Amino acid sequence: MKKLICLLPVVFMTACATDGTMNPTATTANNIGMAVFQSAVDQTCRTQLNNRTEYKVLTSVLTTEKKQDVENQICGCVSTEASKNVTMVELAQAAIDPNARATLITNTVNNTLSTCVSRFKF
């Protein structure tokens, strides 16, 4: 019986978290966390993209401005797709653990970069 009483706060907290209404502070923290994550994904995307041989060849004939536009579109796609494929639990873990952060960002970029490059028309 005592074990059941101890679990009641957890059940109530879970119900509050899943009723569709979030605390504005929590929502702001989530938005900030996602913005930081997307920024890190964008930076990693640009690094990985510029290290790809096929990208270097394809963009070698483009002006600096056009190359920047292509990079912005591809890495914008990667950031958008990445935010759809990461959970708040993963973000929270990444906020605490630098190794988890690096792994999450690298894996996310690896999983979405090729998809976004294939969508882009040169």
Side-chain angles (χ1 to χ4, degrees):
M1 186 69 170
K2 287 183 180 181
K3 291 179 184 177
L4 249 144
I5 292 173
C6 290
L7 289 176
L8 281 177
V10 173
V11 172
F12 287 127
M13 287 176 23
T14 304
C16 292
T18 59
D19 71 354
T21 60
M22 291 185 67
N23 178 336
T25 304
T27 302
T28 302
N30 291 343
N31 291 342
I32 290 170
M34 188 58 74
V36 169
F37 172 73
Q38 286 179 323
S39 178
V41 165
D42 185 75
Q43 183 179 9
T44 302
C45 172
R46 291 174 190 278
T47 301
Q48 286 189 17
L49 187 61
N50 284 299
N51 287 335
R52 288 179 166 220
T53 304
E54 67 273 16
Y55 179 75
K56 290 177 185 177
V57 170
L58 288 171
T59 58
S60 64
V61 296
L62 300 178
T63 63
T64 304
E65 185 178 291
K66 182 62 178 169
K67 182 179 177 186
Q68 187 68 40
D69 183 50
V70 169
E71 190 175 303
N72 289 341
Q73 288 184 37
I74 292 172
C75 289
C77 171
V78 170
S79 294
T80 301
E81 291 299 315
S83 64
K84 293 177 187 175
N85 297 318
V86 68
T87 66
M88 292 316 274
V89 172
E90 290 172 318
L91 280 179
Q93 187 177 13
I96 298 168
D97 182 3
N99 293 328
R101 182 180 320 125
T103 301
L104 178 63
I105 291 168
T106 301
N107 289 343
T108 302
V109 172
N110 289 341
N111 293 338
T112 56
L113 184 58
S114 294
T115 302
C116 290
V117 168
S118 68
R119 288 182 192 169
F120 189 79
K121 306 288 187 252
F122 283 92

